[in-house]
Amino acid sequence: MLKLSCNVTDHIHNLFSNSRRIFVPVHRQTRPISCFQLKKEPLRAILSADHGNSSVRVADTVSGTSPADRLRFGRLMEDGFSYKEKFIVRSYEVGINKTATIETIANLLQEVACNHVQNVGFSTDGFATTLTMRKLHLIWVTARMHIEIYKYPAWSDVVEIETWCQSEGRIGTRRDWILKDCATGEVIGRATSKWVMMNQDTRRLQRVTDEVRDEYLVFCPPEPRLAFPEENNSSLKKIPKLEDPAQYSMLGLKPRRADLDMNQHVNNVTYIGWVLESIPQEIIDTHELKVITLDYRRECQQDDIVDSLTTSETPNEAVSKLTGTNGSTTSSKREHNESQFLHILRLSENGQEINRGRTQWRKKSSR
């Protein structure tokens, strides 16, 4: 028997008629809903009705609020420029080390960035496309990605990621991230990226116009804000071209259909996996990835065949420690328990360069 306190039946009937409904089976005792509850939580009405030994909960959302909005653990910060969201590491997102893989981290960075721009009203039919961009068939593509992980989250850990974007000269935009362990508040990673504009029809790069800049700059911090404020930090280092012959290789990599994204090319996270395919197995067994930097030079299509090449890199000199205000101490000093590699992804058919990268690896710690 459905129990309702106050004369609330008509109000709930209107909610049923005008709202989207989610039905979730629950097993709770029946309890009344008061008028005060409906006023206090206008976005949802919860009914409990007895049907034999089971109950049905009906959760309604008013117009303009989607189920995703209610379930997502994200919000804009008070300044309106940065966005934070919490994520639980799922079992299928961890690898052989029982921690999140670097691909998982990169996917979460992409997810929180997309949720940020969706939150401020940008389109969901492309990655952060503005009204003018959609009219002109323009999209954003990744030019560089730099990720540093100080501690990998494990299965069921909760990670909070903060992100913001800002202008990067006249050629594109920059997006930064800071990752924290929700349980301790510890900064466990940082990342930064550069994006350029491309015409979706011609697949050619295009300069950012003033009209497009005006559309997104209102959501960017007025003053530069960097995830890596340190002078000469590793995110700024150029990546030299890897020369033949490479020490290690994995040839004939082919994009899967699932590797293509809504911009109709191979998603930038797929390149990370391809780069790691040519890392020697002894490094995979004894080390974990500490830093990865990728320069994207050519987009990859579904029919392309890719070769992944890797060579060990020995730095010429040590650099003293650099301590940042946004996270853990970083150091470019190579110790005996660290390794560094140069990478290139290129087309098998003609050797045309797709991507070049650098990775740094540290010895696995005992867990």
Side-chain angles (χ1 to χ4, degrees), residues 115-128:
N115 291 345
H116 175 203
V117 295
Q118 183 179 352
N119 190 277
V120 299
F122 286 3
S123 172
T124 58
D125 61 359
F127 294 116

Side-chain angles (χ1 to χ4, degrees), residues 42 49 111 162 190 208 351 367:
E111 177 70 9
E162 180 178 6
R190 294 182 289 170
V208 180
R367 298 184 184 277

Side-chain angles (χ1 to χ4, degrees), residues 142-144 205 239-241 271 294-299 344 352-356:
T142 313
R144 169 171 270 223
L205 298 183
I239 304 174
K241 183 177 180 180
Y271 296 91
L294 295 179
D295 284 338
Y296 298 83
R297 297 175 172 270
R298 181 189 183 278
E299 65 176 344
I344 187 172
Q352 192 171 18
E353 185 176 3
I354 300 173
N355 183 295
R356 66 174 64 173

Side-chain angles (χ1 to χ4, degrees), residues 16-258:
F16 277 28
S17 302
N18 300 324
S19 306
R20 287 168 289 184
R21 297 185 291 279
I22 306 167
F23 294 86
V24 184
V26 296
H27 302 281
R28 295 184 181 178
Q29 292 183 349
T30 302
R31 62 186 180 90
I33 296 177
S34 66
C35 294
F36 173 76
Q37 286 176 289
L38 290 172
K39 292 179 180 179
K40 186 178 180 181
E41 297 183 304
L43 295 183
R44 62 178 65 90
I46 299 176
L47 306 183
S48 295
D50 286 339
H51 296 281
N53 295 325
S54 64
S55 300
V56 175
R57 171 178 292 176
V58 183
D60 292 86
T61 58
V62 298
S63 178
T65 304
S66 70
D69 293 329
R70 295 190 297 109
L71 295 173
R72 189 176 288 140
F73 295 100
R75 69 194 188 283
L76 275 175
M77 296 294 93
E78 291 183 1
D79 61 8
F81 299 126
S82 69
Y83 176 87
K84 285 185 180 180
E85 188 166 350
K86 296 178 182 178
F87 298 92
I88 301 173
V89 178
R90 314 288 184 177
S91 60
Y92 53 82
E93 295 174 323
V94 302
I96 59 175
N97 298 328
K98 300 181 181 179
T99 57
T101 64
I102 188 62
E103 292 97 329
T104 292
I105 299 296
N107 276 318
L108 291 180
L109 298 181
Q110 181 172 278
E111 177 70 9
V112 72
C114 290
N115 291 345
H116 175 203
V117 295
Q118 183 179 352
N119 190 277
V120 299
F122 286 3
S123 172
T124 58
D125 61 359
F127 294 116
T129 53
T130 68
L131 179 61
T132 300
M133 290 177 65
R134 294 194 295 278
K135 288 180 179 178
L136 300 177
H137 295 188
L138 300 174
I139 58 176
W140 293 112
V141 294
T142 313
R144 169 171 270 223
M145 176 68 73
H146 177 86
I147 305 173
E148 296 187 7
I149 302 298
Y150 312 122
K151 178 184 176 183
Y152 281 89
W155 176 24
S156 296
D157 283 353
V158 180
V159 180
E160 182 181 71
I161 306 178
E162 180 178 6
T163 186
W164 62 95
C165 64
Q166 51 205 322
S167 179
E168 183 73 13
R170 302 292 300 180
I171 61 172
T173 63
R174 172 193 180 110
R175 178 171 287 278
D176 288 26
W177 298 265
I178 295 177
L179 300 84
K180 291 184 178 181
D181 184 332
C182 277
T184 64
E186 175 188 6
V187 173
I188 60 174
R190 294 182 289 170
T192 186
S193 61
K194 294 182 180 180
W195 300 73
V196 293
M197 191 174 291
M198 185 177 75
N199 186 290
Q200 195 166 15
D201 300 325
T202 66
R203 316 308 289 187
R204 293 182 178 275
L205 298 183
Q206 186 163 324
R207 188 172 181 175
V208 180
T209 65
D210 290 336
E211 189 173 5
V212 172
R213 281 168 53 85
D214 290 342
E215 287 177 321
Y216 72 77
L217 280 181
V218 294
F219 303 108
C220 299
E223 298 295 331
R225 182 184 175 194
L226 307 176
F228 298 93
E230 306 92 338
E231 187 177 356
N232 297 323
N233 66 81
S234 59
S235 73
L236 303 174
K237 291 182 179 180
K238 291 184 178 180
I239 304 174
K241 183 177 180 180
L242 186 155
E243 301 295 340
D244 284 331
Q247 290 178 291
Y248 313 97
S249 64
M250 179 64 71
L251 308 181
L253 298 170
K254 188 173 183 356
R256 302 172 304 158
R257 292 173 180 171

